Amino acid sequence: MKEYQKNLLWGTANMFNNPRYMHGAGTSCNPDAFAYAAAQAKKAIEVTVRLNGSGYTFWGGREGYETLLNTNMGLELDNMARLLHLATDYGRSIGFKGAFYIEPKPKEPTKHQYDFDASTVIGFLRKYGLNMKLNLEANHGTLAGHTFQHELRVARTEGYFGSVDANIGDLLLGWDTDQFPNDVYDSTFAMYEILKAGGFTTGGLNFDAKARRASFQPDDIFISHIMGMDTMALGLRMADKLIQDGRIDQFVEDRYAGYKSGIGKKIVDGTVTIQELEKYALEMGDVKTNKSGRQEYLEGVVNQILFG
Amino acid sequence: MKEYQKNLLWGTANMFNNPRYMHGAGTSCNPDAFAYAAAQAKKAIEVTVRLNGSGYTFWGGREGYETLLNTNMGLELDNMARLLHLATDYGRSIGFKGAFYIEPKPKEPTKHQYDFDASTVIGFLRKYGLNMKLNLEANHGTLAGHTFQHELRVARTEGYFGSVDANIGDLLLGWDTDQFPNDVYDSTFAMYEILKAGGFTTGGLNFDAKARRASFQPDDIFISHIMGMDTMALGLRMADKLIQDGRIDQFVEDRYAGYKSGIGKKIVDGTVTIQELEKYALEMGDVKTNKSGRQEYLEGVVNQILFG
Amino acid sequence: MKEYQKNLLWGTANMFNNPRYMHGAGTSCNPDAFAYAAAQAKKAIEVTVRLNGSGYTFWGGREGYETLLNTNMGLELDNMARLLHLATDYGRSIGFKGAFYIEPKPKEPTKHQYDFDASTVIGFLRKYGLNMKLNLEANHGTLAGHTFQHELRVARTEGYFGSVDANIGDLLLGWDTDQFPNDVYDSTFAMYEILKAGGFTTGGLNFDAKARRASFQPDDIFISHIMGMDTMALGLRMADKLIQDGRIDQFVEDRYAGYKSGIGKKIVDGTVTIQELEKYALEMGDVKTNKSGRQEYLEGVVNQILFG
Amino acid sequence: MKEYQKNLLWGTANMFNNPRYMHGAGTSCNPDAFAYAAAQAKKAIEVTVRLNGSGYTFWGGREGYETLLNTNMGLELDNMARLLHLATDYGRSIGFKGAFYIEPKPKEPTKHQYDFDASTVIGFLRKYGLNMKLNLEANHGTLAGHTFQHELRVARTEGYFGSVDANIGDLLLGWDTDQFPNDVYDSTFAMYEILKAGGFTTGGLNFDAKARRASFQPDDIFISHIMGMDTMALGLRMADKLIQDGRIDQFVEDRYAGYKSGIGKKIVDGTVTIQELEKYALEMGDVKTNKSGRQEYLEGVVNQILFG
């Protein structure tokens, strides 16, 4: 890797394909599978350290259930946390300085995965005191019913943004298609969130994408990566233009300005009582100060930036 | 209510229909709307106390966003927590002893609601230190991509189970149909979770359901409530039979038995090291102890109980 | 097969897995693939005749498109009909007396399949004058947004009901899970439609189902087939009870009784003019004769039959 | 209308909101409702003729069912055709020269509508010999599981393209949001199909769209219409550029070129026998002539055109 001046973005271990993980890895009902997973994660982290990887990602490919009829959800969640503690603590103990990532995905191949979406994973990490960040894939977000931008927004708002799998899905299909990104709206909104998060302070952009089955010629591998990366690059430039343009950010700034003074500031500062708010409401009579949310205007601004 | 020996299950306030809440209540960009919502919640809690209500429910009908283009998600989440703290603290201050509930719903009428599902709400309550329980509606769970049983299982596993809105939806339709429950599988699994949670230690069963548009005759109101309640009652009897039968519970007990001794117990007790697990795995060679998850057998047991 | 007194329900050919069919078989952009598919179908029909099969099924596994950007839909539809004409005409020419089936499926693995659902396939068969029937799979119906009962109802109403693949899906998952049927409501409604269609005048019930990945022990094969077949058998008994009970059929009979006399009969007989209908409506003033659709009552009747 | 030089695109009648249509209009179980609907359609067509409307659209808002338990699907379909025959014949008899449209929609408010999608409606029109065209709405297509481009492609391929309702939906929401179009990819692909259909030989573009609830100020009406119309106008320019550029059309032309000579031409001309195809296949050995479908390349071409 030195020879080609390449760095390892992150290491990982596949702990779901092999039959030994049919019931999960950290969440397996079988302690032997848990032990094997721990050993495999230990080795993969050691290799990542040796390759000077800047991150390590936990996929949760079978950390979930097929049917609640045979599942002890509480034990499985606790055990998943136990595995992650063992592995991340070990990583730190051998000098790994990079970020640990967990990658949300709601389902497939299992009926339900515990790493459902960004919000669910963040709740899990907080509950169990795990110091990890999120590696977000567009396609996993949409399978959970969210836009990719939503998942990124949640992660940056909560301080858990880490890295990005750029593969997209097809919103009319219900499985993980892992297509190369080709929609510049989506890449623009994704890059907007990443820029607002301060950029990739850890992590980066990776393609776990596959060219379609019928794109089977060798040059399709180049073409699809070029198309995908061009989409992300154009998204970055468009996101920068959106921010430079300033209309959207200013609109949001103005929209919440009421919380910077008066009763709004007291609400945010926590210095208001409910009695005071009631008195304020009674004197006000009714809310007369709502302004339009201007969704269509803002959508028009986006089109002006993208196609202007 | 005394006269008819009825008790109030829970009080609530509608803070989404009126145009003043077009941008949300606690999550409105307009502090005037926040203040109005606080006043309304205060009054509704007072009335609930006066009526001796055993609970108070927060619906989050517009606590979400229509477009991320105009949304400050961080401030909105913080403000939602502020409103809930103000209201629940006030309730306690005037002697309210009942449970405070929050009712998850992922969307509709808004594009996205912060109370997405049980996991998301529990994460939110933990983050902000709010002492509330969940009021779960079947239809809201399915709109979020979960079975009703899943939502109840999450809530009881995490210790947040509170109360139940029994309305169901149609899994092939993407909106909140609020139908009367008519599927005994679903009511059995729901009642199974409720029994396992120790029953309704707070809360109860309520129907926020509507007879279909074409069921417009006065007796349809009776018929639909009778059908819905019969479905839940039959579900309760079937859930009890499932538990008395014991095969399913015993299967789950046996399935995770490996965590009660040996390496499994050490994993659960937190006394194992990752080095020890690696050694164990290397000696083991590969996982040879997996047993079938028996999903089809267990589904057959359910049918035997229901139709036997 | 003679030895074991088994008969072949239907023969078929897999014309989608092999890379030669990456662009479809009858709908391939490559005439070589079309020719290969024709040869393969010819052979499979010959084998079916030799085995005295009572039917022959065309799966349309890749008869669709991945992207409209590279697709000539008109030519593909015409060619699909050409292949079916060639194959079915050939079958008749060598003495095949059984039914030809086409199996609707909306998607997976392709983005879109031309055999989308029962209605779409029936429209296609009528347009191209193809004498085939439908082999309906529950899971394919639900992927297209329909209940299995809907697909069967459409097929029997239009006179195209043929055979049944009993595999079910999970309505909260967006791919073809091919699970063994375990829901007695669904099997009851399916069997009700089949009985109303006069039973299996051709075709039969087959399981293209798979036990879940974790149900890997040899006896799971028996258990899952037993559970699946028991579900269908119980559905048949329940459907018969529904019909014997008579309440539902009588309700439907009464509900449309207005079309048996007076203005209703004239509408059905085609002897009414629009002027006459207008005159009738003006004299009537407004519609005062609507009665409740009694959905909840009928759902209650179903539960009484199933659990009574 | 003369005064302002406006022409009426199409007339219609709302035959679903009023309680008289609770069971449908043409598909009502009540002949009185059928008669009322016929009278209403007669009047609306007369008014359309008087206003010199260039089309008349049938919405099927409740032409479907809520539950199959109370539904006679065969009679309902026949009656829907009877109403359409009565109404369209009457229109012609009073000199209406414009197009009659039917607007597909799969569901909402009913559980299932007979006008499910373009393919289903075309099959229905053919079966009953109705001379009508389709008025396609983007949002209805996506609710049925199709892209808008798919619906337009089906309609033009089958010769049933008529007019367009430009409202879009949100693919992550399951109801008819009727938003103003804001995605230039979608408007480009829609306009591409319309141009390929020869443009609007009948019909035109209409917005049945609504600004979002929070876009309540008077100028939002202007802004949203401007944004929506700009999106369609930009789509038209981009579609024209796509066609002028020629790469995509040429790719499709080349992809199917095999059907213009040799065995391919014989397949299309219907002069080939299945024996001949088998002989051809056997000599060929296997298909060696497949070429990549180039999906990612074509997606890149689209981005070059849109953002070049």
Side-chain angles (χ1 to χ4, degrees):
Chain A
M1 294 181 82
K2 253 182 213 159
E3 190 181 345
Y4 298 100
Q5 296 192 291
K6 295 276 167 290
N7 296 313
L8 175 64
L9 183 59
W10 42 260
T12 191
N14 176 332
M15 308 199 296
F16 41 92
N17 275 354
N18 191 289
R20 79 177 64 96
Y21 296 126
M22 60 170 68
H23 302 302
T27 64
S28 177
C29 52
N30 184 355
D32 286 357
F34 183 105
Y36 202 104
Q40 190 179 346
K42 177 173 178 289
K43 178 62 68 185
I45 292 169
E46 289 165 359
V47 172
T48 300
V49 168
R50 193 134 157 208
L51 294 173
N52 204 22
S54 65
Y56 185 86
T57 296
F58 287 89
W59 292 345
R62 291 194 77 83
E63 305 295 34
Y65 62 81
E66 287 290 355
T67 174
L68 284 173
L69 289 173
N70 67 15
T71 300
N72 182 337
M73 186 186 279
L75 179 59
E76 293 202 359
L77 285 166
D78 289 348
N79 280 353
M80 185 160 79
R82 286 175 182 125
L83 179 65
L84 293 172
H85 268 299
L86 283 166
T88 56
D89 288 354
Y90 176 71
R92 295 306 176 215
S93 79
I94 61 167
F96 178 63
K97 303 268 186 285
F100 285 107
Y101 305 115
I102 195 163
E103 183 167 323
K105 189 180 179 189
K107 50 189 165 190
E108 197 203 4
T110 59
K111 156 81 180 155
H112 178 88
Q113 286 178 211
Y114 296 124
D115 312 331
F116 194 79
D117 60 8
S119 282
T120 302
V121 173
I122 291 167
F124 170 85
L125 295 175
R126 282 199 180 116
K127 176 184 173 193
Y128 290 103
L130 285 156
N131 187 9
M132 304 178 71
K133 293 195 175 298
L134 302 188
N135 183 34
L136 292 164
E137 179 175 315
N139 204 157
H140 296 177
T142 50
L143 283 173
H146 308 299
T147 60
F148 189 33
Q149 187 184 10
H150 171 90
E151 288 292 272
L152 291 163
R153 176 72 65 94
V154 168
R156 81 161 164 101
T157 295
E158 302 281 0
Y160 282 82
F161 172 66
S163 197
V164 162
D165 262 27
N167 326 345
I168 63 160
D170 183 317
L171 270 71
L172 292 171
L173 303 181
W175 63 92
D176 197 10
T177 60
D178 276 339
Q179 295 180 240
F180 282 92
N182 71 326
D183 186 307
V184 177
Y185 286 100
D186 289 343
S187 65
T188 299
F189 294 135
M191 285 301 185
Y192 174 84
E193 297 299 327
I194 293 168
L195 289 175
K196 289 285 175 179
F200 285 111
T201 55
T202 78
L205 209 61
N206 83 290
F207 293 130
D208 188 25
K210 300 182 286 275
R212 299 301 86 195
R213 188 191 186 205
S215 301
F216 70 101
Q217 296 180 196
D219 51 355
D220 284 312
I221 298 174
F222 293 89
I223 291 168
S224 56
H225 278 86
I226 291 166
M227 190 279 293
M229 199 60 215
D230 277 357
T231 300
M232 298 311 293
L234 193 50
L236 177 60
R237 296 177 61 162
M238 293 300 181
D240 180 60
K241 275 177 77 177
L242 264 186
I243 292 170
Q244 297 302 326
D245 175 85
R247 275 178 289 175
I248 287 178
D249 287 348
Q250 191 60 51
F251 184 87
V252 178
E253 188 72 15
D254 295 346
R255 191 168 180 243
Y256 296 87
Y259 288 101
K260 292 196 171 151
S261 62
I263 193 83
K265 189 168 189 309
K266 294 187 74 174
I267 290 167
V268 168
D269 292 346
T271 57
V272 80
T273 63
I274 202 165
Q275 288 83 354
E276 208 176 329
L277 288 165
E278 183 184 46
K279 186 162 171 287
Y280 179 90
L282 289 171
E283 281 167 12
M284 175 170 71
D286 201 348
V287 177
K288 302 175 192 91
T289 47
N290 277 329
K291 288 182 195 154
S292 168
R294 292 290 193 227
Q295 178 165 341
E296 294 81 8
Y297 162 74
L298 295 168
E299 290 168 348
V301 168
V302 170
N303 278 343
Q304 286 171 22
I305 301 288
L306 262 64
F307 302 98
Chain B
M1 296 180 83
K2 255 183 215 160
E3 190 182 345
Y4 297 100
Q5 295 191 293
K6 295 273 167 291
N7 295 311
L8 176 64
L9 183 61
W10 41 259
T12 192
N14 176 331
M15 309 202 294
F16 42 89
N17 275 354
N18 190 291
R20 79 175 67 94
Y21 295 125
M22 62 170 66
H23 302 302
T27 64
S28 176
C29 54
N30 184 354
D32 286 357
F34 184 105
Y36 202 103
Q40 190 178 343
K42 178 174 178 289
K43 177 63 68 185
I45 293 168
E46 289 165 0
V47 172
T48 300
V49 169
R50 192 135 156 206
L51 293 173
N52 204 23
S54 65
Y56 184 87
T57 296
F58 286 88
W59 292 346
R62 291 196 77 83
E63 305 294 33
Y65 62 80
E66 286 291 354
T67 174
L68 284 172
L69 290 173
N70 68 15
T71 301
N72 182 336
M73 186 186 279
L75 180 58
E76 292 201 0
L77 285 166
D78 290 347
N79 280 353
M80 186 160 77
R82 285 172 184 127
L83 180 64
L84 293 172
H85 268 299
L86 282 166
T88 56
D89 289 353
Y90 176 72
R92 295 306 176 215
S93 80
I94 61 167
F96 178 63
K97 303 268 185 283
F100 284 107
Y101 304 115
I102 195 163
E103 182 167 323
K105 188 179 179 189
K107 50 191 163 186
E108 195 201 3
T110 59
K111 157 80 178 155
H112 178 88
Q113 285 178 212
Y114 295 125
D115 311 332
F116 194 78
D117 59 9
S119 282
T120 302
V121 172
I122 290 167
F124 170 86
L125 295 175
R126 283 201 180 112
K127 177 184 174 192
Y128 291 103
L130 284 155
N131 187 9
M132 302 177 74
K133 294 197 173 297
L134 303 188
N135 183 35
L136 292 164
E137 180 176 315
N139 204 157
H140 296 176
T142 50
L143 283 173
H146 308 298
T147 59
F148 188 34
Q149 188 186 9
H150 171 90
E151 289 293 271
L152 290 163
R153 178 72 65 96
V154 168
R156 82 161 163 102
T157 295
E158 301 281 1
Y160 282 83
F161 172 66
S163 197
V164 162
D165 263 27
N167 328 342
I168 63 161
D170 182 317
L171 270 71
L172 292 171
L173 302 181
W175 64 93
D176 197 10
T177 59
D178 275 339
Q179 296 180 240
F180 282 92
N182 70 326
D183 187 306
V184 176
Y185 287 100
D186 290 343
S187 64
T188 299
F189 294 135
M191 284 302 184
Y192 175 84
E193 297 300 327
I194 292 167
L195 289 175
K196 289 285 177 180
F200 285 112
T201 56
T202 77
L205 210 63
N206 82 290
F207 292 130
D208 188 25
K210 297 183 286 275
R212 299 303 85 197
R213 190 194 186 202
S215 300
F216 70 100
Q217 295 179 196
D219 51 356
D220 284 312
I221 298 175
F222 292 89
I223 292 167
S224 56
H225 277 84
I226 291 166
M227 191 279 293
M229 199 59 215
D230 278 357
T231 301
M232 299 311 293
L234 194 50
L236 178 59
R237 295 176 61 160
M238 294 296 182
D240 181 60
K241 275 177 77 177
L242 264 185
I243 293 171
Q244 298 302 328
D245 175 84
R247 275 178 289 174
I248 287 178
D249 287 349
Q250 190 61 49
F251 185 88
V252 178
E253 188 72 13
D254 294 346
R255 192 169 181 239
Y256 295 88
Y259 288 102
K260 291 195 173 155
S261 62
I263 194 82
K265 187 167 189 313
K266 293 187 74 173
I267 290 167
V268 168
D269 291 345
T271 57
V272 81
T273 65
I274 201 165
Q275 288 83 354
E276 210 176 328
L277 288 164
E278 184 184 43
K279 187 162 169 290
Y280 179 92
L282 289 171
E283 282 166 12
M284 173 171 70
D286 201 347
V287 177
K288 303 174 193 93
T289 46
N290 277 329
K291 289 184 195 148
S292 168
R294 292 286 193 230
Q295 179 165 341
E296 294 80 8
Y297 161 73
L298 296 168
E299 290 168 348
V301 168
V302 170
N303 278 343
Q304 286 171 23
I305 302 289
L306 262 63
F307 301 99
Chain C
M1 298 180 81
K2 254 184 213 155
E3 191 183 341
Y4 298 100
Q5 294 192 291
K6 294 275 167 294
N7 295 312
L8 176 63
L9 183 60
W10 42 260
T12 191
N14 177 330
M15 309 201 295
F16 43 89
N17 275 355
N18 192 290
R20 80 175 66 94
Y21 296 126
M22 63 171 64
H23 302 303
T27 63
S28 176
C29 53
N30 183 355
D32 286 357
F34 184 105
Y36 202 104
Q40 191 179 344
K42 178 173 177 291
K43 180 61 70 187
I45 292 168
E46 289 164 358
V47 172
T48 300
V49 169
R50 195 137 155 204
L51 293 173
N52 204 23
S54 65
Y56 184 87
T57 296
F58 286 89
W59 291 346
R62 291 195 77 83
E63 305 295 33
Y65 63 80
E66 286 290 354
T67 172
L68 284 172
L69 289 172
N70 69 14
T71 301
N72 182 337
M73 187 187 280
L75 179 59
E76 294 202 358
L77 284 166
D78 290 348
N79 280 354
M80 185 161 78
R82 286 173 184 126
L83 180 65
L84 293 172
H85 268 300
L86 283 166
T88 56
D89 289 353
Y90 176 73
R92 294 306 175 213
S93 79
I94 61 167
F96 178 64
K97 302 269 185 284
F100 284 108
Y101 304 115
I102 194 162
E103 183 168 324
K105 188 179 179 189
K107 50 191 165 189
E108 197 201 0
T110 59
K111 156 79 179 157
H112 177 88
Q113 286 178 210
Y114 296 126
D115 312 330
F116 195 79
D117 59 9
S119 281
T120 302
V121 172
I122 290 167
F124 171 85
L125 295 175
R126 283 201 180 114
K127 177 183 174 193
Y128 290 103
L130 285 157
N131 188 7
M132 303 178 72
K133 294 196 174 299
L134 302 188
N135 184 34
L136 292 164
E137 179 175 316
N139 203 158
H140 296 176
T142 49
L143 282 172
H146 308 299
T147 60
F148 189 33
Q149 187 185 10
H150 171 90
E151 289 293 270
L152 290 163
R153 177 72 65 95
V154 168
R156 81 161 164 103
T157 295
E158 302 280 1
Y160 282 82
F161 171 66
S163 198
V164 161
D165 264 27
N167 328 343
I168 62 160
D170 182 317
L171 271 71
L172 292 171
L173 302 180
W175 63 92
D176 197 10
T177 60
D178 276 340
Q179 295 179 242
F180 282 92
N182 70 327
D183 187 306
V184 176
Y185 287 101
D186 290 343
S187 65
T188 298
F189 294 136
M191 285 301 183
Y192 175 84
E193 298 298 328
I194 292 168
L195 288 176
K196 290 285 178 180
F200 285 112
T201 57
T202 78
L205 210 60
N206 83 290
F207 292 131
D208 189 24
K210 300 183 286 276
R212 300 302 86 197
R213 189 193 187 205
S215 300
F216 70 99
Q217 295 181 198
D219 51 355
D220 285 312
I221 299 174
F222 292 89
I223 291 167
S224 56
H225 278 84
I226 291 166
M227 190 278 292
M229 198 61 214
D230 278 357
T231 301
M232 299 310 293
L234 193 49
L236 177 60
R237 295 176 63 159
M238 293 298 182
D240 180 60
K241 275 177 76 178
L242 263 186
I243 293 172
Q244 298 303 328
D245 175 85
R247 274 178 290 175
I248 286 178
D249 287 349
Q250 190 62 50
F251 185 87
V252 178
E253 188 73 15
D254 294 346
R255 191 168 180 241
Y256 295 88
Y259 288 101
K260 291 195 172 152
S261 62
I263 195 82
K265 189 167 188 310
K266 293 187 74 174
I267 290 166
V268 168
D269 292 344
T271 57
V272 80
T273 63
I274 201 167
Q275 288 83 355
E276 211 176 326
L277 288 165
E278 185 185 43
K279 188 162 168 288
Y280 179 91
L282 289 171
E283 282 167 11
M284 175 171 68
D286 202 346
V287 177
K288 302 173 194 94
T289 47
N290 277 330
K291 289 182 196 151
S292 168
R294 292 288 193 226
Q295 178 165 341
E296 293 80 9
Y297 162 73
L298 297 168
E299 290 168 348
V301 168
V302 170
N303 278 343
Q304 287 172 21
I305 301 290
L306 262 63
F307 302 97
Chain D
M1 296 179 80
K2 255 182 212 159
E3 193 184 341
Y4 296 101
Q5 295 192 293
K6 294 275 167 292
N7 295 311
L8 175 63
L9 183 60
W10 42 259
T12 192
N14 176 332
M15 309 200 296
F16 42 91
N17 275 355
N18 190 290
R20 79 176 66 95
Y21 296 125
M22 61 171 66
H23 302 302
T27 64
S28 176
C29 52
N30 184 354
D32 286 357
F34 184 105
Y36 202 105
Q40 191 180 345
K42 179 173 177 288
K43 180 61 69 183
I45 292 169
E46 289 165 359
V47 171
T48 300
V49 169
R50 194 136 157 205
L51 294 173
N52 205 22
S54 65
Y56 183 86
T57 296
F58 286 88
W59 291 346
R62 291 195 78 83
E63 305 294 33
Y65 63 79
E66 287 290 354
T67 174
L68 284 173
L69 289 174
N70 67 16
T71 301
N72 182 336
M73 187 187 277
L75 179 60
E76 292 202 0
L77 285 165
D78 290 348
N79 280 353
M80 185 160 79
R82 287 175 183 125
L83 180 65
L84 294 171
H85 269 300
L86 283 167
T88 56
D89 289 353
Y90 177 71
R92 294 309 175 212
S93 79
I94 61 167
F96 179 63
K97 303 269 186 284
F100 284 107
Y101 303 115
I102 196 163
E103 183 167 323
K105 189 179 179 188
K107 50 191 164 187
E108 199 204 1
T110 59
K111 156 81 179 154
H112 178 88
Q113 286 179 208
Y114 296 124
D115 312 332
F116 194 79
D117 59 8
S119 282
T120 302
V121 172
I122 290 167
F124 170 86
L125 295 175
R126 282 199 181 117
K127 177 185 174 192
Y128 291 103
L130 284 157
N131 188 9
M132 303 177 73
K133 292 193 176 300
L134 302 189
N135 183 36
L136 292 164
E137 181 175 313
N139 204 159
H140 296 177
T142 49
L143 283 173
H146 309 299
T147 60
F148 189 32
Q149 187 184 11
H150 171 89
E151 288 293 273
L152 290 163
R153 177 70 66 95
V154 168
R156 81 163 165 100
T157 295
E158 302 281 0
Y160 282 82
F161 171 66
S163 197
V164 162
D165 263 26
N167 327 346
I168 63 161
D170 182 317
L171 270 72
L172 292 171
L173 303 181
W175 63 93
D176 198 11
T177 60
D178 276 340
Q179 293 180 244
F180 283 92
N182 70 328
D183 187 305
V184 176
Y185 286 101
D186 289 342
S187 65
T188 298
F189 294 136
M191 284 301 186
Y192 175 84
E193 297 299 327
I194 292 168
L195 288 175
K196 289 286 177 179
F200 285 112
T201 57
T202 76
L205 210 62
N206 83 289
F207 293 129
D208 188 26
K210 300 183 285 279
R212 298 303 85 195
R213 188 191 187 206
S215 300
F216 71 99
Q217 295 180 197
D219 52 354
D220 285 311
I221 299 175
F222 292 90
I223 291 167
S224 56
H225 278 85
I226 290 165
M227 190 279 292
M229 198 60 215
D230 278 357
T231 301
M232 298 311 294
L234 194 51
L236 177 60
R237 295 176 62 160
M238 293 299 182
D240 180 61
K241 275 177 76 177
L242 263 186
I243 292 171
Q244 297 302 327
D245 175 86
R247 274 177 290 174
I248 287 178
D249 287 349
Q250 191 61 51
F251 185 87
V252 178
E253 188 73 14
D254 295 346
R255 192 168 181 244
Y256 295 87
Y259 287 102
K260 290 197 172 149
S261 63
I263 194 83
K265 188 169 188 309
K266 292 187 75 175
I267 290 167
V268 167
D269 292 346
T271 58
V272 83
T273 63
I274 201 165
Q275 288 82 355
E276 211 176 327
L277 288 165
E278 184 184 45
K279 187 161 169 291
Y280 179 91
L282 288 170
E283 282 167 11
M284 177 171 68
D286 202 347
V287 178
K288 304 176 192 90
T289 47
N290 276 331
K291 288 182 195 154
S292 167
R294 291 290 193 226
Q295 179 165 341
E296 294 80 10
Y297 161 73
L298 296 168
E299 290 168 349
V301 168
V302 170
N303 278 343
Q304 287 171 22
I305 301 289
L306 261 63
F307 302 99

